[in-house]
Structure formats: C-alpha cells, structure tokens
Amino acid sequence: MSGRRDFLNQPAPENYVAGLGRGATGFTTRSDLGPAREGPSEDQIKEALAKRAAQLGAAAPTAYGAPEKKEDDDDDERFQDPENEVGLFAGGAYDKDDDEADRIYQEVDEKMDRRRKARRLVSPSFCPLYYTVTNGLSFLQIDEQITDVSTYREAREKAEQEEYERNNPKIQQQFADLKRALGTVSDEDWANLPEVGDLTGKNRRNKQALRQRFYAVPDSVIAGARDASELGTTVADDGNAGADTQDGTMTNFADIGAARDKVLKVRLDQASSASGTDSIAGSATNIDPKGYLTSLAKSQINEGEAQVGDIKRVRVLLESVIRTNPKHAPGWIAAARLEELAGKSVAARNVIARGCEHCPKSEDAWLENIRLNDNHNAKIIAANAIQKNDRSVRLWVEAMKLESESRAKKTVIRKALDHIPQSVMLWKEAVNLEEDPADARLLLAKATEIIPLSVELWLALARLESSENAQKVLNKARKAIPTSHEIWIAAARLQEQMGNANKINVMKRAVQALAKESAMLKREEWITEAEKCEDEGAILTCGNIIRETLGWGLDEDDDRKEIWMEDAKSSIGRGKYETARAMYAYALRVFVNSRKLWLAAADLEKNHGTKEALWQLLEKAVEACPQSEVLWMMLAKEKWQAGEIDNARRVLGRAFNQNPNNEDIWLAAVKLEAENDQPEQARELLKTARQEAPTDRVWMKSVAFERQLDNIDAALDLVNQALQLFPAASKLWMMKGQIYESEGKIPQAREAFSTGTKACPRSVPLWLLYSRLEERAGSIVKARSVLDRARLAIPKNPELWTESVRIERRGNNVSQAKVLMAKALQEVPNSGLLYTESIWHLEPRTQRKPRALEAIKKVDNDPILFVTIARIFWGERRLEKAQNWFEKAILLDSDLGDTWAWYYKFLLQHGTDEKRGDVIAKCTLSEPRHGEYWQTVAKDPKKAKMGIEEILKIVAGKLE
C-alpha cells in the first residue's frame, strides 16, 4: 500500500476555513419564513486566521492587526483606493506572501506621505540641503528636520485655528456661560418669566402712527360731508330711492355697505338657482348660446382696444399662413380683416386683392373684397368675380345689391338666371323685384316649370293666384312633390279661407297620402306645424292637423291620456291655446269619461277662454261624468258668479238627482242660498242634509252657519250633538272652544280644548288654540306646559316650535326664546317658518341677510322663506329684487293667502294701479285658503260674506 494518506485524512491547507471559499455559511430558500443566518463578521474571520496560524506554528498575520492611522492625517481619505479592495478581498485566502506584501506597501505609503509633506510644507531654505546630500546619514538628519518642521506646522495650524475660533465664536459658544448660569435659576423664577410679546408688530404700528398727520379741516368740508351722508325718505316711481345732494350726486341706498351687500346678493341668487326655482316667473339667468355668439359676432372692437403688440404677432402668423399656403382663402380673409381692425383700410384692400389673385375660385374672398371697397370699385370687382365664378349664386346676388336702380337689378338677376336657371334663390330675388303681381306670377310659373321640386316656389305661386287657380297650382304641386307636407297644409288653409274647412277634410287625405309615400312626420313635428298655423290665424287648420295626427304612432297600450295632457300643457306654456284646446277635444273623444281631462279642459277655458265656451264645456262634462260632483259644482258656481241664480239652482237640482246624499252638493246649495240672503232656505237645506248625509263636515257647516247668523245657543246645541256623533272631529272641538271663548266663558273653553286634545292628540290647530287661550288668560306657565305636551304628541312640528318661541318672546324672555329656537332648528332644520321667526325677531338687522342666506341653503322651495327674503330686499329699497321674490313665492304656492297679502302691501307702496288690479284678479282666481293671517280673517264669522278682494285688503292692513 502506498504511504500517501487518503483525501479525508489529509491535513487541511494553510489558512483553510470550512465553507468560507464557496460561501456556504448561510443561505435562504423561498420556503423560509425569515432571513437566513448571516455570514461571519470581520472579527470572526480575524479570530479564525489567528487560530489557524497558531496551529501551524506561524506568526499571526499583521495586516489585520496593523496600527490604525493617525486621526490627524488629513490626506488619508484622499489616497485610499476608491475600489475598496480590502473589503472586496476580505473573504479570500490570506498567506505569508500577502502579509509581506502588505508590510512593504505600508512602509512605501508612509515614506511617500513624509515626502509629500516635506515638499508642500517645508520652507525653500531647507530644499537645498535635502537635494545635495547623498549618504544615508544625511537622509536621516533631513527626516528628523522634517519631523521637527511637521510638528512646528501642526502647532502653528492649531494656534491659528484657536485664534480664529476665539475671534469668531459660534453662537452656542457665546451663550455657554449664560447656559451654565441657568442652572442657578429656581423653579419659582422660571414660573415668573413673562410671555413673549409681538414686538415686531408693535414697532410697525408705532411707525405707522408716527406717519399719520392731522390737520385742521374747514367748516365747509364738514358741512359738505354732513349733507352728503343724508338719506332721502322718498322713493321714485322707477324704484330708485334717494335725493339730490348739493354736489349733484344722488344718494343710492344700494351702495350703502356695498361690499357686504354685493357678496350676499350673489350668494342668494346662486342659492335660489340651486334650489331649482330659477325657471319661475322668468327669473332664470340662462344664456342662449346662439344668441350670445351672434351678439359677439356683431360686436365691433375699437382701434384703441386692440393691442398693438397682439396685432403684430397675429400679422406675423397670418403672413406665414398665406406664404406657406397661398391658395388658402380663409388665410387671406383673416389677414385683410386684421388690417381692417388695425385701421389700415388700404392695406386690407391690397391684401384681399392679392388673395383674389391667388384664389380666383373662392366666393368668400371675392365677397370680402367687395365688402372692403366702395360701390364703384365693388362693381368692377363683382364683374371680375363673376367672370371667374359665373355659377356662384352669392356673387350674382351681391352684384345685384350693388345696383341702385330697379332696372339694373333686374338686368343682373336675369343674366344670373341665364347662367344658373336652377337656383331657387335667384328666382325668389327676381320675383321680389317685380312690382306687378302679374309679372311675378309669370316668373313663378316659369320657375316652377324649370324647378318643379321647389316647394317654396309652388307655395309662392299659389299665394299670388286666385282661389280657383291656387287649387289647380297646389294640385300640380302635389303631383310634382307627393312627399311634401307643406303643400297639403297649404291646401287645407286654402279650404279654410274659402270656407270649406268643415266640408272637405284635406288633412285626412294628407295623412293617407303621406303615409303611403312613407313621408309621414312625427307626432311632435305635426304639433309644431299646428302651432305655426295658429300663429298665422288658421285656427281650423290647426284643429284639423291635431285631430288627424295627435294619435299617430301611439298604441292603445301606451299611456295616451298622460301623453296628450303633457302635450297640451306644453302648448299652453308656449301660449298656443287653440292647439291645446284641440288636443283636449281629441283626447276627450277618446276618453270621454275621464274626469281629469274634463277638469283640465275646463281650467283652460276658465283661464284663456270665454264664459260661454266654459259653460258649454261643463255641460258636456256633466253629461259625460254625471257622478262627478266637482264638475256639477263648477258649473253651478260659474252660473252663480255670472248672476244667473236660478240656473245655478237648476244645475244643483240636476246634481241632486244624479248624486243623492252627496255632501258637497248639499253644501254648495247651502252656500248658494246663504250668499243670496236666503237664510231660512239654507237652514232647511242643512237640516235635510244632516238627515240625508250626516257627515261631520255637514254638522260643522251647520254650526258655522248659525255662528254667522249670531245664533250662539243654536250653534252650541248643534256642536254638542255633533260631538256625540263624531267625537274624533277636531274642528268641532275647536268650534266649541271658540264659541265659549267669544262669550267670555274661559273655564268652559279651557275644558273644551282640553277634552279635544285628549280626543284628537294629533291636531296641531287644536293645541295652538288651547295654548293661546291660556296665554290670553295670563297663565304663561300653563301655556308652556300645553305646548310641551303638544310637542311630545306631535314631534318635529314647526308650528308648535314656532308658537313656543313666540310665547317666550311675547313674555320678554328673549334668551329662552333663542334657546328654544336653536333646539327647534336642530329638530326641524328645513322649516321656513322657523327661519322666518328667527330672522325677524331673534336676529339683529345686520345679521338678517346672512341668516337668510343660510336658511335658503338648507330649506328647499319654501314660500314663507321666499316672502322673508323679499321683505329683506324691500327694507333695503331694492324693489325689483323684492318683487321677483314675491312672485316666486306666489308661483310656488298660490294657496297661501299671506303671500298675496304681503305682495299687495308691497304694491300699495311701490306699485301701479294696473299692477295692483292684476294681483287682485289673480288672487281672486286662485282663491287662497291658508295662511296664518289669512285664516284669522277668512274664518271670522263676522266676515263670512266678504269676498277675496276684501279679505286681501284687510289682511294686508294687519300685516306688520
């Protein structure tokens, strides 16, 4: 066997570390949840190398144990290896050769460091000695000198550094002694340190105060200022308030507090538009894009308004455009208009002339050239343009307009027709130039022969012919253009003019013919044509169009009634009442028993028709819907208001036959007799009604009737009988309490209201009457208690919260009223009534408008709040804005009588007689029934026979 050992039993190589060479000291796989073990640190490597050298009996490597370089070596980092090879080969094998090489390199580096320091820092007197000596001893002496010089240099640099720091100490060093002294400050001294003040701002304010100068003002200046600040107390008819001052100016109330008012005004307008009420009463600030652009196109810029620099820049751009593309006519036109804008008319003509040379086929360029020149030159230019473009209709028309004499115009147009016989525009211009209708007919006849497909020419010829000839012309036109609906409409209008509209149904034939040709219009387009006929006075043709085409394209499955009602409402909104009337007539032929349609048609006749038409319609309505008591009462009311009392009684008699035991008809008959001073007949009717139709409403009307006649005992007897039959009728309890209160029987009234609130705990008016009774009796605490119980029974009710606030306010307890108002607005944040109470009674005058702005953002479309905003503008003498807000409130809820009263009171001061009359008429037509002030007057038994106008005036007088 060989004496060589096997591989595993051989000694390890020198400096061997297991796994170090292949980096197998640690690794990481994807399945590991954490990091792998880190490799050996530098200290571990040093320890391993030293241990291995000890086993081999060799000296430990000195490279790792080499002494650290001196800290004061300033050039150490400059000469380090940028690649950091020490760190790069730190994990490699380290042997004796490497150790020896490191020692040699270290000695060389130290030698080179000494030489560099000597070369840089040793004075020139030492240099000759250094370079003349050659033996080793001399070298040693020089090295010692260098060491001494180096020591001297370091000492000198250190001294210079200390001197510099002493002359330029840092801020930290300057306050070092003071910081050390802070250690002696006690806690009490720290607590007594004053706060730091704004000395910078104080000094600035002091300097500003020093700049102010005061001078003695003459008395005339003071008097003038006093007179200028006076406010006028009169209002002009046009709504502007003020009075002439001495300097000729006029005091404008709108300018007082201009900044704040303008901001709030803008915000209020924005809020009102956000609430969706801008479309009411035409108050929307919408902009028509087409009209806006048209106005921009028509506006002209003055020469001074155009910036010279801008004109130069645009001129350069346009010159580049026409230079790069000289055949582009819009570029030449733009360049010419730029010169015209700059005031250089001659340059503009020259530019457009060059453009016509480069673009001889451009109509726009020639037309621009004609426009920029005077009449004489324009004619020459037009002639040249027509030579280049003899098929241009616009150029021929422009050339005709340049002529001043009629004969010359005709000559030009006839030449144009020789070149372009198919132009409808040229034929129309030629016809317009003719003064004799016969010549015009000849021209139109020739035109229709040449252009048989022109509807305009056929219609123009038919208008110039007699009725018989017009029929022939229209027949020829129908044959030439079978798909034209305009010709059929013209034929229908011709029959109407001849008086044959009811005999010959042209539109029926038109619908059949157009449907056969697949040229039938849409239903909406036919409605538009009908409205055009109405505008032109062809009422029968309008009705025929609607009758034959309104149902086109609609199946029985479609909601036709709703669709037709919407169409009629749209036509009414556009002011086309005849079209809407025809729509309702057609719809009623299809839905003859629809009470909704009959009421809509009656409303149209009532507002925009005649009295006879309304009577006729209502007669048809009651025949079609005999069970509808509303239609019967409308007819009876119209007869009664017209003064035909007997006819009204007959209508109600017929209504009784069709609707026996109907309470509405009974009460209508009672009202008719009572209004005509027939109390006994009314009483008998009520007695019969209580037997035939015993409802709570009939009993209430009976009690109210006896109160109006001042029969208190009879009224009490009736109300007690009614309460036995209808104990849950809140109005009966209210009437009983009011009767006792009017007689001064407070305990009985209190008992009636108390019992009523127990029987009807959800009746808000009953709770309010109860609390007001206690307040008038002097029991404020009891009134508060009543309202507290009411709010528990009916939570989130604005009327109850408002009454609670008013009780505190009337008791001079404003602070508690504000507390209650805050709670109320938290519980009912969208109540205009609460905000109105807060604005007028709990806020100072200066805060009313900001509060109104806040309210209108939170409350959506509340008429009470709109009235409040109108009153604010009224107080500021901004009358137009106030009127707009009043009208918005009325359109939002016309049943609120208080709104009408406020508007009427406003017009009493700032309106005209015509406007006041219009408001009274509209209020009478609307017949308002609600409102806090309105109901107190309208429900008063002493004012039962008063009309709407009288009630309006009384309520307007009571408003504050």
Side-chain angles (χ1 to χ4, degrees):
M1 294 180 63
S2 172
R4 181 182 176 86
R5 298 180 181 178
D6 56 6
F7 177 80
L8 296 176
N9 294 327
Q10 289 183 3
E14 186 177 0
N15 299 334
Y16 173 77
V17 178
L20 184 64
R22 57 188 173 88
T25 57
F27 58 92
T28 305
T29 63
R30 293 184 179 179
S31 61
D32 292 336
L33 298 177
R37 180 168 54 88
E38 296 180 355
S41 62
E42 186 177 354
D43 296 336
Q44 292 175 347
I45 294 174
K46 290 181 180 179
E47 183 179 357
L49 291 175
K51 184 177 180 182
R52 187 63 181 168
Q55 292 177 359
L56 298 175
T62 58
Y64 291 103
E68 296 181 0
K69 295 184 180 181
K70 297 179 181 180
E71 294 179 357
D72 57 350
D73 190 359
D74 298 334
D75 298 332
D76 183 46
E77 293 181 357
R78 293 172 53 194
F79 301 100
Q80 284 185 356
D81 190 357
E83 297 296 333
N84 195 11
E85 295 181 356
V86 175
L88 180 62
F89 297 101
Y94 195 87
D95 51 11
K96 294 180 179 180
D97 295 337
D98 295 332
D99 188 26
E100 183 179 1
D102 288 340
R103 285 197 299 272
I104 293 172
Y105 278 114
Q106 187 174 349
E107 292 175 359
V108 172
D109 289 340
E110 292 175 356
K111 184 80 171 180
M112 294 299 293
D113 288 344
R114 288 196 298 271
R115 292 181 62 183
R116 279 194 297 271
K117 291 178 181 179
R119 187 183 305 114
R120 187 180 61 204
L121 299 173
V122 176
S123 60
S125 61
F126 292 99
C127 293
L129 295 175
Y130 181 82
Y131 289 107
T132 54
V133 180
T134 57
N135 55 21
L137 182 59
S138 298
F139 270 108
L140 182 60
Q141 293 175 355
I142 290 173
D143 289 343
E144 290 176 359
Q145 292 176 1
I146 291 173
T147 301
D148 294 338
V149 171
S150 177
T151 303
Y152 168 77
R153 178 184 59 80
E154 292 173 358
R156 178 175 57 78
E157 289 180 351
K158 185 175 181 181
E160 291 176 355
Q161 183 68 22
E162 291 176 354
E163 180 68 18
Y164 177 80
E165 292 178 354
R166 186 164 55 252
N167 295 333
N168 301 283
K170 298 179 180 179
I171 296 178
Q172 182 179 7
Q173 295 173 355
Q174 294 179 14
F175 293 92
D177 54 341
L178 298 177
K179 289 183 179 180
R180 286 192 296 270
L182 289 176
T184 61
V185 179
S186 63
D187 295 340
E188 184 178 359
D189 295 337
W190 280 110
N192 294 330
L193 287 177
E195 293 294 334
V196 179
D198 186 9
L199 297 179
T200 303
K202 182 178 179 181
N203 294 335
R204 187 185 303 113
R205 288 191 295 270
N206 292 335
K207 291 180 180 179
Q208 291 177 355
L210 291 176
R211 296 192 191 102
Q212 296 180 357
R213 296 291 184 270
F214 299 95
Y215 302 93
V217 181
D219 295 340
S220 59
V221 176
I222 299 176
R226 179 200 61 194
D227 297 337
S229 61
E230 287 182 353
L231 302 180
T233 58
T234 59
V235 179
D237 292 338
D238 58 352
N240 295 325
D244 293 341
T245 56
Q246 294 179 357
D247 56 353
T249 61
M250 179 171 287
T251 303
N252 189 355
F253 289 95
D255 290 337
I256 300 174
R260 177 177 60 85
D261 288 347
K262 284 183 180 179
V263 173
L264 292 174
K265 173 186 174 183
V266 171
R267 292 182 179 176
L268 277 175
D269 291 340
Q270 292 175 350
S272 65
S273 63
S275 65
T277 59
D278 278 345
S279 60
I280 299 175
S283 61
T285 55
N286 297 327
I287 295 176
D288 181 13
K290 295 182 180 179
Y292 183 66
L293 293 176
T294 303
S295 63
L296 285 180
K298 292 181 179 179
S299 63
Q300 296 181 356
I301 303 176
N302 297 329
E303 296 180 8
E305 297 178 1
Q307 297 294 331
V308 177
D310 295 340
I311 290 177
K312 290 182 178 179
R313 285 193 293 270
V314 176
R315 183 182 288 119
V316 172
L317 291 175
L318 292 177
E319 287 177 355
S320 175
V321 170
I322 60 181
R323 185 171 56 254
T324 55
N325 189 5
K327 299 297 183 181
H328 186 60
W332 291 100
I333 296 172
R337 290 184 179 178
L338 177 66
E339 299 299 338
E340 182 185 12
L341 179 65
K344 299 180 179 180
S345 302
V346 177
R349 296 191 192 102
N350 294 333
V351 169
I352 199 62
R354 291 166 51 203
C356 293
E357 293 176 1
H358 287 85
C359 308
K361 297 297 182 181
S362 174
E363 291 181 349
D364 296 329
W366 286 107
L367 290 173
E368 185 70 14
N369 197 357
I370 292 171
R371 185 184 69 84
L372 291 175
N373 284 271
D374 55 10
N375 194 17
H376 177 72
N377 294 331
K379 290 180 180 180
I380 299 173
I381 295 170
N384 295 331
I386 291 173
Q387 288 180 359
K388 303 289 184 181
N389 303 272
D390 57 350
R391 305 286 297 178
S392 174
V393 176
R394 295 167 62 193
L395 288 175
W396 280 107
V397 173
E398 191 66 27
M400 181 268 296
K401 292 179 179 179
L402 292 175
E403 300 293 339
S404 57
E405 297 181 358
S406 177
R407 174 180 289 184
K409 290 177 180 289
K410 293 178 182 179
T411 303
V412 173
I413 285 296
R414 288 172 182 172
K415 288 183 179 179
L417 288 174
D418 292 339
H419 289 82
I420 319 171
Q422 299 294 329
S423 173
V424 177
M425 182 183 294
L426 290 177
W427 282 108
K428 289 168 65 177
E429 293 290 342
V431 171
N432 291 333
L433 290 175
E434 296 295 337
E435 298 176 357
D436 189 0
D439 295 337
R441 280 197 297 270
L442 292 176
L443 281 176
L444 285 172
K446 184 65 174 178
T448 52
E449 292 178 4
I450 297 175
I451 315 174
L453 298 181
S454 175
V455 177
E456 295 178 88
L457 295 177
W458 283 110
L459 295 179
L461 179 59
R463 281 193 291 268
L464 291 177
E465 295 285 354
S466 61
S467 300
E468 293 77 9
N469 293 333
Q471 282 184 306
K472 298 177 182 179
V473 170
L474 291 176
N475 289 331
K476 292 180 182 179
R478 284 203 304 269
K479 294 178 181 178
I481 315 172
T483 60
S484 173
H485 65 278
E486 295 95 340
I487 296 175
W488 283 104
I489 294 174
R493 294 184 59 181
L494 178 62
Q495 294 299 327
E496 181 180 357
Q497 293 174 4
M498 296 172 63
N500 300 327
N502 296 325
K503 299 178 182 179
I504 303 175
N505 194 348
V506 177
M507 289 309 304
K508 185 175 182 180
R509 295 170 51 196
V511 171
Q512 295 174 354
L514 292 174
K516 184 178 179 180
E517 296 291 336
S518 300
M520 190 66 180
L521 298 180
K522 295 181 180 179
R523 191 174 56 85
E524 294 79 5
E525 295 173 344
W526 280 115
I527 293 174
T528 304
E529 294 295 334
E531 291 178 352
K532 290 181 181 178
C533 291
E534 180 182 352
D535 290 337
E536 296 173 1
I539 304 301
L540 296 178
T541 303
C542 169
N544 291 334
I545 292 174
I546 294 298
R547 184 172 61 251
E548 299 298 334
T549 62
L550 190 62
W552 182 263
L554 295 177
D555 299 330
E556 294 183 0
D557 297 336
D558 297 331
D559 195 358
R560 294 182 295 173
K561 182 169 68 173
E562 298 297 331
I563 293 174
W564 289 338
M565 289 188 69
E566 288 297 326
D567 292 338
K569 289 179 181 178
S570 300
S571 295
I572 292 173
R574 292 189 291 269
K576 305 298 185 292
Y577 306 120
E578 293 295 336
T579 305
R581 189 175 287 112
M583 290 180 183
Y584 281 133
Y586 179 81
L588 286 172
R589 281 196 292 269
V590 179
F591 302 100
V592 68
N593 296 321
S594 174
R595 187 181 68 172
K596 189 176 181 180
L597 276 173
W598 284 111
L599 289 173
D603 185 66
L604 173 63
E605 295 297 339
K606 184 177 180 181
N607 295 325
H608 307 287
T610 61
K611 187 184 301 182
E612 291 76 13
L614 177 59
W615 291 355
Q616 185 179 3
L617 179 69
L618 287 174
E619 288 288 351
K620 294 180 180 179
V622 295
E623 291 178 3
C625 304
Q627 305 301 322
S628 175
E629 68 276 5
V630 177
L631 295 173
W632 285 107
M633 288 190 295
M634 284 184 65
L635 179 58
K637 184 178 179 180
E638 293 299 327
K639 295 285 186 180
W640 169 46
Q641 290 180 349
E644 300 182 5
I645 307 300
D646 294 335
N647 289 333
R649 289 195 181 102
R650 294 190 189 98
V651 170
L652 290 176
R654 292 162 54 194
F656 276 124
N657 296 331
Q658 297 292 337
N659 301 274
N661 301 329
N662 185 281
E663 68 171 12
D664 291 327
I665 298 177
W666 279 107
L667 295 178
V670 171
K671 184 176 181 180
L672 177 63
E673 300 298 337
E675 293 290 340
N676 290 278
D677 297 328
Q678 300 293 332
E680 294 300 328
Q681 294 182 10
R683 185 178 286 113
E684 290 298 326
L685 286 173
L686 284 171
K687 183 178 179 180
T688 308
R690 289 196 299 270
Q691 296 173 358
E692 300 292 336
T695 62
D696 57 343
R697 187 177 172 205
V698 172
W699 281 94
M700 282 187 288
K701 292 295 182 181
S702 301
V703 176
F705 180 71
E706 297 297 338
R707 287 186 67 193
Q708 293 171 11
L709 297 178
D710 203 17
N711 297 328
I712 304 301
D713 295 334
L716 275 175
D717 183 54
L718 287 174
V719 79
N720 288 327
Q721 295 179 30
L723 285 173
Q724 292 177 1
L725 297 174
F726 307 100
S730 60
K731 290 187 177 181
L732 290 173
W733 290 107
M734 286 187 280
M735 295 175 78
K736 183 178 180 180
Q738 287 173 340
I739 291 172
Y740 279 124
E741 187 179 1
S742 64
E743 293 295 314
K745 300 178 181 180
I746 303 300
Q748 291 85 343
R750 182 183 292 114
E751 181 182 359
F753 287 140
S754 177
T755 308
T757 54
K758 294 176 182 177
C760 310
R762 304 292 297 178
S763 175
V764 175
L766 189 56
W767 285 106
L768 294 176
L769 289 174
Y770 190 11
S771 68
R772 289 168 185 170
L773 174 67
E774 297 294 348
E775 185 182 4
R776 283 192 291 269
S779 302
I780 304 298
V781 177
K782 189 70 176 295
R784 290 197 194 103
S785 176
V786 170
L787 289 174
D788 290 341
R789 286 188 288 130
R791 292 200 304 271
L792 291 176
I794 313 172
K796 297 184 179 180
N797 186 271
E799 288 84 2
L800 294 175
W801 277 107
T802 304
E803 188 65 22
S804 299
V805 173
R806 288 175 179 175
I807 284 180
E808 301 299 337
R809 181 172 56 81
R810 288 193 289 260
N812 295 325
N813 194 358
V814 180
S815 60
Q816 182 63 23
K818 291 183 178 179
V819 172
L820 284 174
M821 180 59 70
K823 293 180 180 179
L825 290 176
Q826 288 180 354
E827 187 170 346
V828 192
N830 55 352
S831 171
L833 180 62
L834 285 171
Y835 276 108
T836 298
E837 181 70 20
S838 175
I839 290 169
W840 284 112
H841 301 290
L842 300 180
E843 298 290 343
R845 180 180 293 273
T846 57
Q847 295 298 318
R848 286 178 181 174
K849 189 179 285 187
R851 190 67 169 169
L853 175 62
E854 177 187 354
I856 204 170
K857 288 181 179 179
K858 294 183 179 179
V859 182
D860 186 19
N861 294 345
D862 192 299
I864 299 176
L865 183 60
F866 283 10
V867 171
T868 301
I869 296 173
R871 291 170 60 191
I872 291 175
F873 284 125
W874 182 8
E876 296 177 351
R877 296 298 188 270
R878 299 166 71 176
L879 306 180
E880 184 177 356
K881 296 290 292 183
Q883 183 173 346
N884 290 337
W885 281 95
F886 277 127
E887 292 176 354
K888 288 180 183 180
I890 289 174
L891 290 174
L892 194 61
D893 186 5
S894 60
D895 190 52
L896 192 63
D898 290 357
T899 305
W900 290 100
W902 276 113
Y903 191 25
Y904 183 74
K905 185 173 182 179
F906 169 78
L907 292 176
L908 286 176
Q909 297 183 16
H910 308 291
T912 60
D913 293 337
E914 181 182 359
K915 188 66 176 178
R916 286 191 289 270
D918 184 49
V919 168
I920 291 174
K922 290 182 179 179
C923 181
T924 305
L925 190 63
S926 299
E927 295 183 359
R929 298 177 181 272
H930 297 88
E932 183 177 358
Y933 292 94
W934 186 272
Q935 286 185 326
T936 58
V937 177
K939 297 290 184 180
D940 189 355
K942 298 179 182 179
K943 301 179 178 63
K945 294 185 179 181
M946 286 187 177
I948 300 296
E949 181 178 354
E950 296 174 338
I951 296 175
L952 176 65
K953 294 179 179 180
I954 293 173
V955 174
K958 286 188 174 183
L959 294 176
E960 297 178 357

